[in-house]
Amino acid sequence: MSDFATNARFATDALRDLFDPTPLQRNDYLSQRFGADIWLKREDLSPVRSYKLRGAFTAMRKVREAEPGQEHFVCASAGNHAQGVAFACRHFGVRGTIFMPVTTPQQKIDKTRVFGAGQVQIVLTGDYFDQTLAAAKTFCIEKAAHFLSPFDDADVILGQASVAVEMLDQLGGDPDLVILPVGGGGLSSGVTRYLREVAPAVGFRFVEPLGGASLLAALRAGQPDTLSTVNSFVDGAAVARLGDQTFALLNWVDPAQVLLAPEDRICITMLEMLNVEGIVLEPAGALSVDVLPELAELIRGKTVVCVTSGGNFDFERLPEVKERAQRFAGLKKYFILRMPQRPGALREFLEMLGPEDDIARFEYLKKSARNFGSVLIGIETKSPENFTRLFARLDVAAFPYRDITNDGILSEFLI
């Protein structure tokens, strides 16, 4: 074994002071659906419900070994990394200062505080993460504390490689394919570096959210490249720029191996895993499962491991997830209807609806000086074809309408 592989196994053994290996579970539902042997590496079942604890603990352990007097650690995070750092601070009995954006949901703040068990101080600053990160690094310099990067750190990468060490031990052999979610690249660089050394026949696919494809951008540019905009919905993987160290370990990846998952489609996967399998996944945690339909031909008859990277899902977001899923599947639409201002027009419209069509929203503004009134209407149905039939009826009846379901500006403002 190389030094990295040996150190990764040692790091894995050291983690046993905190928790047992996360389960590697064969999923019968997905295996039957795709005609493959599909296993889920359940990082959503770690003590902090994500793999981030691995890297935070490993990096903190190695700093403490090299500098026993270092008892103050700092990070900037609004999610899983913060919780991993807090848990590690409690374990080592050191102080932690965790910087979070002012906009961080209270649930995440409370969970981080609980995991820290009195060892951490939470500082809310900055409307955007870049502002929070800058404040954390300035504080680190002033206080001579150690900054723990969420992904762009050799020891963090080493800690994340423990996912691969456990995976091979649990599977008892080499999988044909491993599917990895990608944010800043810490998990994917650690896992692939280990597996390429000890199990070189294993294939890989990498999954990024469509609105945060930092790995693909880096591969195309030949270096980490900052995205101009990032969709923050998949908050555990929505990273504007891949790490320098992580890219150095991932620059061999063929861009064709990187798959992009639309944010709304991920919602369908989250609901499916929740309703069918009882598995709670956050958006980033569902990435590896979400792309299985795209890989159906490739994986048939193969052994596949999907890393479900996290399960820190706030159920207050469930209505939004359901809404996004329905819209992506074509089962819910919003449109603006110009309703003729005459008696019976509303009844005429209602009679156009099919037996599976349900009105989810209806706002009607009647203006007496006009011949038409504008209606904002939302319809839920059982099949996308029902909308084709409804719109055909509207056309025949000369009821003008505009579908705004996928109009980003109008739907955000009106819906």
Side-chain angles (χ1 to χ4, degrees):
M1 281 192 183
S2 71
D3 287 345
F4 181 85
T6 300
N7 290 337
R9 181 159 288 281
F10 181 83
T12 306
D13 292 340
L15 281 167
R16 299 292 79 89
D17 289 342
L18 272 75
F19 61 98
D20 292 332
T22 57
L24 179 70
Q25 299 174 339
R26 186 181 187 278
N27 188 275
D28 290 339
Y29 167 70
L30 294 174
S31 295
Q32 291 180 24
R33 178 179 171 188
F34 294 103
D37 196 22
I38 297 179
W39 298 74
L40 304 182
K41 181 57 173 164
R42 297 289 304 277
E43 291 305 292
D44 54 294
L45 294 181
S46 84
V48 298
R49 296 185 60 80
S50 87
Y51 69 93
K52 288 288 190 177
L53 175 57
R54 299 174 181 271
F57 170 82
T58 302
M60 194 176 293
R61 173 180 61 80
K62 296 197 73 175
V63 169
R64 295 275 295 162
E65 290 172 355
E67 305 173 50
Q70 181 57 265
E71 295 191 352
H72 191 183
F73 293 84
V74 175
C75 77
S77 170
N80 293 341
H81 181 54
Q83 294 170 30
V85 170
F87 198 99
C89 284
R90 181 179 73 183
H91 174 79
F92 287 108
V94 297
R95 287 187 299 133
T97 304
I98 296 174
F99 285 74
M100 292 179 152
V102 175
T103 53
T104 303
Q106 188 62 42
Q107 179 239 17
K108 291 186 176 181
I109 298 171
D110 293 340
K111 286 185 68 175
T112 301
R113 186 173 288 115
V114 168
F115 286 135
Q119 295 295 131
V120 301
Q121 176 187 8
I122 296 173
V123 178
L124 300 178
T125 183
D127 293 327
Y128 303 100
F129 181 73
D130 287 346
Q131 298 169 334
T132 307
L133 179 61
K137 289 185 173 180
T138 299
F139 177 86
C140 244
I141 295 172
E142 293 174 350
K143 301 296 183 180
H146 183 89
F147 183 77
L148 282 178
S149 169
F151 49 82
D152 205 23
D153 178 283
D155 293 331
V156 169
I157 293 168
L158 180 67
Q160 316 307 25
S162 63
V163 171
V165 178
E166 293 179 5
M167 178 196 308
L168 291 189
D169 288 348
Q170 293 166 318
L171 193 61
D174 298 348
D176 296 300
L177 186 71
V178 174
I179 305 176
L180 293 161
V182 181
L187 174 69
S188 51
S189 60
V191 168
T192 56
R193 183 174 181 184
Y194 181 81
L195 291 179
R196 291 179 81 204
E197 291 183 8
V198 304
V202 172
F204 300 99
R205 288 298 184 273
F206 305 86
V207 193
E208 299 188 278
L210 180 62
S214 59
L215 172 59
L216 189 59
L219 293 172
R220 288 172 174 171
Q223 62 184 10
D225 191 25
T226 303
L227 302 176
S228 58
T229 59
V230 174
N231 185 324
S232 62
F233 177 75
V234 188
D235 49 358
V239 175
R241 182 183 176 90
L242 198 76
D244 293 324
Q245 295 188 51
T246 55
F247 178 70
L249 295 172
L250 293 170
N251 58 14
W252 56 270
V253 174
D254 184 340
Q257 295 176 298
V258 182
L259 305 175
L260 303 183
E263 282 74 9
D264 290 355
R265 190 183 74 190
I266 294 168
C267 294
I268 296 177
T269 302
M270 292 172 65
L271 290 176
E272 181 180 31
M273 295 305 292
L274 177 62
N275 294 330
V276 177
E277 295 295 277
I279 297 175
V280 178
L281 297 176
E282 63 185 89
L287 283 170
S288 61
V289 177
D290 182 73
V291 297
L292 288 175
E294 294 182 51
L295 300 172
E297 292 299 320
L298 175 68
I299 66 177
R300 185 170 290 113
K302 304 288 182 62
T303 299
V304 180
V305 175
C306 297
V307 178
T308 54
S309 58
N312 282 309
F313 178 65
D314 183 352
F315 273 82
E316 289 186 2
R317 299 179 71 185
L318 190 58
E320 177 191 4
V321 169
K322 181 181 177 182
E323 171 90 6
R324 283 173 169 265
Q326 286 179 306
R327 289 163 67 172
F328 187 87
L331 302 179
K332 188 171 187 177
K333 286 186 178 293
Y334 292 91
F335 52 98
I336 296 174
L337 177 69
R338 294 187 68 205
M339 183 81 70
Q341 292 209 37
R342 56 174 172 77
L346 176 58
R347 177 178 303 223
E348 185 178 343
F349 167 74
L350 294 176
E351 289 175 349
M352 296 182 201
L353 299 177
E356 295 182 329
D357 300 336
D358 184 29
I359 296 177
R361 183 164 181 176
F362 191 93
E363 296 182 24
Y364 180 37
L365 179 62
K366 180 177 180 179
K367 295 185 178 180
S368 58
R370 296 184 180 180
N371 294 326
F372 291 87
S374 294
V375 178
L376 170 62
I377 189 165
I379 299 288
E380 294 180 6
T381 191
K382 301 294 185 181
S383 169
E385 290 74 23
N386 290 335
F387 282 112
T388 303
R389 289 188 279 270
L390 173 61
F391 291 155
R393 297 186 196 107
L394 290 172
D395 289 337
V396 170
F399 275 46
Y401 64 91
R402 177 179 175 181
D403 186 349
I404 64 168
T405 308
N406 297 315
D407 187 317
I409 296 177
L410 270 181
S411 62
E412 182 175 350
F413 181 72
L414 295 175
I415 303 172

